[in-house]
Amino acid sequence: MNVLIIVDLQNDFLPGGTLAVPHGDEVIPLANELQRRFELVLATRDWHPPDHGSFAANHPGKKLGDRIMLDGIEQILWPVHCVQNTHGAEFAPSFDTSRIAHVFHKGIDPRTDSYSTFFDNAHRRSTGLADYLKKRSIKDIYLMGLALDYCVKYSALDARQLGLKAHVILDSCRGIGLEPGDLDRALDEIKQVGAILLQSSEL
Ligand code: VGL
Ligand code: ZN
């Protein structure tokens, strides 16, 4: 069975959102179109409580982009984004969610961030996606969405660690690019672990 996993197409990651990924909205028509070519469509949502430790606003004296230690691991500080049950955390209005079989949530624990759609950044807590795939004997996944250099990248790395065949549909992703070169470095890391980069036209 071929599976499409659509990562974080939420208002806060789109232009006008609090953690807008440049040109993030451009992948929505592709997300809608690509779903028809897959037997199973899954999606993820970044889903933070208001007191989440990745928000700069929750660390007086710290600013956006600062790096701190959070529960034993390094954490970049972000703007408040994707707070549970707020408009920013909702899927983009033009994103067709009718074919999504299950939505996995991540970043729920206030003390640990979670970029990957499989595990939190400390690899302590699972989102349930790995078990979901295993139960259905799914060994092959296709990833798309936001952001290429965070959630998509770490999902591809974890997928490989789990022994899954992981594909990243490049033209269906956009990155944050906090530092110059981040996007190229993300692509290198994705390739290095043996994930396959492809374009939607090759599907
Ligand atoms: C993401 C930064 C913080 C992402 C989530 O979805 O890529 N990036 N939280
Ligand atoms: Zn987040």
Side-chain angles (χ1 to χ4, degrees):
M1 177 150 48
N2 63 14
V3 184
L4 178 65
I5 301 174
I6 303 175
V7 178
D8 295 1
L9 293 193
Q10 295 164 270
N11 289 323
D12 272 341
F13 292 124
L14 299 171
T18 59
L19 181 41
V21 178
H23 305 282
D25 52 330
E26 291 171 4
V27 308
I28 297 172
L30 272 166
N32 293 345
E33 148 70 19
L34 284 179
Q35 291 184 56
R36 286 185 241 142
R37 307 197 213 166
F38 286 84
E39 291 163 275
L40 179 64
V41 181
L42 304 173
T44 68
R45 273 203 291 206
D46 213 29
W47 195 247
H48 298 307
D51 62 345
H52 199 259
S54 75
F55 298 163
N58 290 332
H59 301 276
K62 299 285 178 195
K63 55 185 197 314
L64 297 180
D66 280 356
R67 285 161 202 264
I68 62 160
M69 289 307 284
L70 185 67
D71 209 25
I73 56 169
E74 193 184 78
Q75 174 67 49
I76 302 174
L77 294 180
W78 301 107
V80 173
H81 65 280
C82 297
V83 174
Q84 296 167 5
N85 303 306
T86 65
H87 173 78
E90 281 171 24
F91 284 129
S94 57
F95 174 32
D96 175 7
T97 57
S98 60
R99 285 209 51 219
I100 296 171
H102 194 84
V103 179
F104 294 89
H105 292 93
K106 60 192 180 59
I108 296 165
D109 180 348
R111 292 159 307 146
T112 321
D113 209 358
S114 184
Y115 297 141
S116 160
T117 58
F118 291 97
F119 302 105
D120 66 44
N121 293 359
H123 268 238
R124 290 189 196 117
R125 183 175 171 150
S126 162
T127 60
L129 176 59
D131 285 341
Y132 184 99
L133 298 177
K134 200 171 168 191
K135 243 184 227 157
R136 290 160 181 78
S137 304
I138 294 163
K139 296 190 172 68
D140 210 346
I141 63 165
Y142 288 76
L143 291 160
M144 65 153 294
L146 310 172
L148 176 67
D149 38 355
Y150 289 93
C151 290
V152 175
K153 177 184 93 174
Y154 286 103
S155 298
L157 301 191
D158 276 350
R160 292 297 301 140
Q161 226 177 62
L162 287 164
L164 299 167
K165 190 167 178 187
H167 302 78
V168 176
I169 311 168
L170 261 185
D171 56 324
S172 310
C173 298
R174 295 291 183 277
I176 296 175
L178 213 53
E179 311 273 351
D182 272 1
L183 299 186
D184 285 336
R185 273 191 293 276
L187 292 179
D188 283 344
E189 284 182 67
I190 292 170
K191 276 188 259 182
Q192 223 155 52
V193 296
I196 298 155
L197 301 175
L198 78 166
Q199 303 292 332
S200 59
S201 57
E202 299 171 57
L203 285 165

